[in-house]
């Protein structure tokens, strides 16, 4: 929350078993209060919802692992990176073992372009794992 931001209160009614589950989650995840937990759930929902607008600017993190000895994989991957409409802000590359690499790519661009780029990378022969983390920066 921002300093001097007005805080409004509201109440919510829950069945006892649901409240018990909520309290267990709050405790298990070390939240200071139900309110903090609820704010995070709302932010997460709004963040996911923001990705439903395919024309919206967004930021995401693509996590991939691949066998760098797989044929033309590195050239195909590099071609996709250079030809993409997506801006690759930063990459992190580590060697897991003699054959396998793990890479993260921080991406910025239009939602549809990020998702298309991610799908193209995922489809490359030799890519063993690929997951797009759809990040968002709440407006609130």
């Amino acid at each position: 929350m921002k300093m001097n931001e007005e805080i409004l209160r509201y109440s919510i009614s829950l069945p006892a078993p649901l409240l018990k589950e909520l309290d267990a989650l709050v405790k298990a995840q070390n939240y200071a209060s139900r309110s903090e937990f609820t704010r995070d759930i709302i932010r997460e929902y709004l963040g996911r919802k923001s990705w439903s607008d395919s024309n919206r600017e967004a930021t995401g993190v693509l996590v991939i692992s691949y066998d760098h000895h797989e044929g033309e994989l590195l050239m195909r991957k590099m071609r996709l990176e250079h030809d993409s409409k997506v801006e690759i802000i930063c990459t992190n590359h580590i060697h897991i073992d003699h054959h396998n690499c793990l890479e993260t790519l921080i991406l910025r661009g239009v939602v549809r372009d990020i998702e298309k780029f991610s799908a193209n990378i995922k489809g490359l022969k030799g890519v063993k794992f690929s997951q797009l983390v759809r990040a968002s920066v709440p407006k609130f």
Side-chain angles (χ1 to χ4, degrees):
M1 287 183 292
K2 298 175 187 168
M3 297 296 276
N4 302 325
E5 188 174 44
E6 182 182 12
I7 300 296
L8 304 175
R9 297 187 189 279
Y10 76 99
S11 65
I12 183 171
S13 301
L14 299 174
L18 187 56
L19 182 59
K20 186 176 179 179
E21 288 287 327
L22 173 65
D23 286 339
L25 287 170
V26 168
K27 183 177 179 181
Q29 295 183 23
N30 295 319
Y31 278 90
S33 66
R34 291 174 182 159
S35 292
E36 282 297 326
F37 184 81
T38 303
R39 280 190 284 272
D40 271 1
I41 289 172
I42 293 168
R43 285 185 197 109
E44 182 181 334
Y45 173 81
L46 292 173
R48 280 194 322 265
K49 188 175 183 291
S50 71
W51 276 77
S52 65
D53 178 358
S54 64
N55 295 311
R56 181 183 180 277
E57 285 285 324
T59 303
V61 181
L62 181 61
V63 180
I64 59 174
S65 64
Y66 56 88
D67 180 347
H68 68 265
H69 291 285
E70 180 66 49
E72 296 286 318
L73 172 63
L74 295 178
M75 288 303 296
R76 286 191 209 113
K77 179 179 162 300
M78 193 179 307
R79 193 173 308 118
L80 285 173
E81 291 171 352
H82 285 275
D83 293 344
S84 174
K85 294 179 183 178
V86 172
E87 183 180 4
I88 301 172
I89 304 299
C90 176
T91 62
N92 185 24
H93 179 101
I94 64 167
H95 302 278
I96 297 172
D97 58 32
H98 184 69
H99 286 277
N100 296 291
C101 296
L102 176 70
E103 198 166 294
T104 60
L105 297 89
I106 300 176
L107 310 172
R108 185 172 26 202
V110 176
V111 166
R112 73 174 164 278
D113 294 335
I114 292 174
E115 290 180 340
K116 180 180 179 184
F117 173 78
S118 299
N120 287 339
I121 293 290
K122 185 176 191 171
L124 292 173
K125 183 177 180 183
V127 172
K128 296 179 177 184
F129 173 84
S130 176
Q131 183 172 1
L132 176 62
V133 177
R134 290 164 175 85
S136 67
V137 178
K139 298 174 189 174
F140 34 86

